[in-house]
Amino acid sequence: MAEILVLVDHADGVVRKPALELLTLARRIGEPAAVVLGAGAAAADIAAKAGEFGAAKVYVADGAEFADQLVVPKVDALAQIAKAADAAAVLVTSSGEGKEVAARVALRLGSGIITDAVDLEAGDGGPVATQSVFAASFQVKSRVSHGVPVITVKPNAVAPEAAPAAGAVENVTVAFTGNAATVVARTPRVSSGRPELTEAAIVVSGGRGVGAAEGFGVVEELADALGAAVGASRAAVDAGWYPHTNQVGQTGKQVSPQLYVAAGISGAIQHRAGMQTSKTIVAINKDPEAPIFELVDYGVVGDLFTVLPQLTAEAKG
């Protein structure tokens, strides 16, 4: 069976959830083979985790370049491994960096690329990807018609499923091209203790209806009670009420959680484009004519400052 390469995202020695989702999807279209880059001493543990989720083989490459340079070292490694292994496809997480890596790898391989897939299935001419397009108004199925398919997949596209495999480690020596921007300093991001926005199973977002930065207090309380990430609409971010890093929408981050709670958000097309693929959508808004109610599974017409504390109390039980 042809190998499906999966670039494994990891942080602080831990495999990130989207990588496990990719391994789950890879099993549908071939034999998963994980690619672990720049993991250092944690490589063995990461390889074991990849094997637990179906990786028959784990390609491991290390070097200071992966930490000291941006993007290009990963492209060097992934492209070289794909050529040597005669891979049938390459799967990468649909993050900002992931899509840049994927695009460069596709160029190196002379292949086509599909970005932001929300599902994958086997097809006669290669993997068939499902994408949500035109601000999530339509779903289309597509496949790469030339070269090795390079596909980026949105987080939360599928629930990770363990399927123990050999996880045989193969160490790889990479010929780095050296044409990369160099990291000169790092500032650790202050942790909120909440899940990463794009990876969270539950997202609670606030919009113009919160009224002020202080209004996000009730949004954060519900999010913490649910173990959720906090999002914000562009209007709330532009008003300076919440950081841009938490913006959900066409010009912010795109999320696809199991549950999306929109509080005080009107539902402009810009925002809908970033969350419309959520599995279940709940909206709270005082305006019964708000566009957000057109796409929700459950809607509450009411004051968010009354409704959210009640939801928080119920969640805490």
Side-chain angles (χ1 to χ4, degrees):
M1 189 179 293
E3 286 188 353
I4 308 298
L5 295 186
V6 171
L7 180 60
V8 176
D9 277 348
H10 55 87
D12 300 322
V14 178
V15 178
R16 302 183 72 167
K17 179 171 164 278
L20 305 180
E21 296 169 7
L22 292 182
L23 288 167
T24 300
L25 287 171
R27 297 202 303 270
R28 298 180 183 177
I29 57 177
E31 183 176 72
V35 178
V36 179
L37 306 176
D45 290 339
I46 292 174
K49 190 70 171 181
E52 182 184 336
F53 281 79
K57 185 182 294 183
V58 182
Y59 296 99
V60 175
D62 208 357
E65 289 85 353
F66 292 115
D68 295 342
Q69 297 177 4
L70 297 177
V71 179
V72 175
K74 291 183 179 180
V75 175
D76 293 336
L78 196 53
Q80 289 171 35
I81 293 169
K83 289 177 181 178
D86 194 21
V90 178
L91 305 184
V92 183
T93 301
S94 245
S95 60
E97 182 186 66
K99 285 189 276 192
E100 183 173 356
V101 168
R104 289 171 177 253
V105 168
L107 185 62
R108 295 266 188 103
L109 299 178
S111 302
I113 182 173
I114 295 173
T115 60
D116 293 332
V118 295
D119 199 10
L120 282 178
E121 59 190 86
D124 292 337
V128 176
T130 300
Q131 294 166 285
S132 182
V133 300
F134 295 120
S137 298
F138 298 92
Q139 282 199 332
V140 298
K141 291 183 181 292
S142 54
R143 66 176 178 82
V144 171
S145 59
H146 181 78
V148 178
V150 180
I151 304 171
T152 74
V153 182
K154 283 187 174 183
N156 291 314
V158 67
E161 296 177 1
V169 174
E170 182 174 323
N171 292 303
V172 177
T173 300
V174 179
F176 295 108
T177 60
N179 300 317
T182 300
V183 178
V184 296
R186 285 186 173 86
T187 302
R189 184 173 61 180
V190 178
S191 174
S192 66
R194 301 187 183 100
E196 174 67 29
L197 180 59
T198 56
E199 301 175 12
I202 304 174
V203 175
V204 181
S205 288
R208 192 189 302 275
V210 303
E214 296 74 20
F216 268 90
V218 292
V219 175
E220 291 178 333
E221 288 174 4
L222 177 58
D224 291 341
L226 296 173
V230 175
S233 70
R234 186 173 70 179
V237 170
D238 287 348
W241 299 344
Y242 221 69
H244 181 268
T245 53
N246 293 74
Q247 181 180 326
V248 174
Q250 199 163 22
T251 56
K253 293 182 177 178
Q254 296 187 9
V255 300
S256 188
Q258 297 298 313
L259 173 63
Y260 188 87
V261 180
I265 295 175
S266 64
I269 190 66
Q270 192 279 145
H271 186 76
R272 293 167 63 157
M275 46 66 73
Q276 197 162 328
T277 56
S278 302
K279 308 305 183 291
T280 301
I281 302 172
V282 178
I284 301 99
N285 200 297
K286 289 194 294 187
D287 180 7
E289 302 299 322
I292 192 75
F293 287 125
E294 297 173 3
L295 73 150
V296 301
D297 298 285
Y298 302 96
V300 179
V301 178
D303 187 337
L304 69 90
F305 292 103
T306 300
V307 176
L308 293 193
Q310 294 181 48
L311 287 174
T312 301
E314 285 291 329
K316 291 180 177 179

